[in-house]
Amino acid sequence: MTLLCEHGQLFSNITVNEICDKAMVHRTTFYKHFEDKFALLSSTLTYILQDYLQMNVEDRLRQPMQSIATMLSGNVLETMVQNQKKDKGFNHYFRKYIEEIFKQDFMELKNRGKQFPLPVELVAEFHSGVISLLVNWWIHHFEENITAEQMDEYYYLLVNEKILLE
């Protein structure tokens, strides 16, 4: 987290050796716990987002951008994401990570008995893709002070809200 929050330090340029030096652990210790730095990033994101991941699934899906804003606001993740917004590797991974969260949310709704007018896998893929694209766009337009509420409005303009809210 420290390396990712350092100004000018891009995820793509961070090496396992740098991570080990910062954490004061040997490379073999690192590799006992993580396959590579992406596995560490995944673990780090899951740790940072543990409160968010325990939020009500319906709330996360009804107001995805507001729920994400709650997660980011004042969190180390906000600094991390802003510092990494020019790193294509980080952004690609972060988008995929967010997509997976929302796909799992849709599958959770299906498991709870929610009926969808389309195959749930298709709905999950579509909505999670739109949400991750909006998050990425929002990160890159942070200076414009666009609110989470406005971003949720953009979301509903881009998708058929009847599928989600019925």
Side-chain angles (χ1 to χ4, degrees), residues 65-96:
M65 305 309 287
Q66 290 176 61
S67 67
I68 289 170
T70 300
M71 158 195 69
L72 285 173
S73 182
N75 190 313
V76 66
L77 187 57
E78 182 177 17
T79 303
M80 189 184 303
V81 166
Q82 284 303 314
N83 281 346
Q84 298 302 315
K85 72 181 178 182
K86 292 183 180 174
D87 188 310
K88 290 180 182 178
F90 178 88
N91 286 312
H92 176 75
Y93 189 86
F94 188 62
R95 278 185 50 198
K96 293 297 178 191

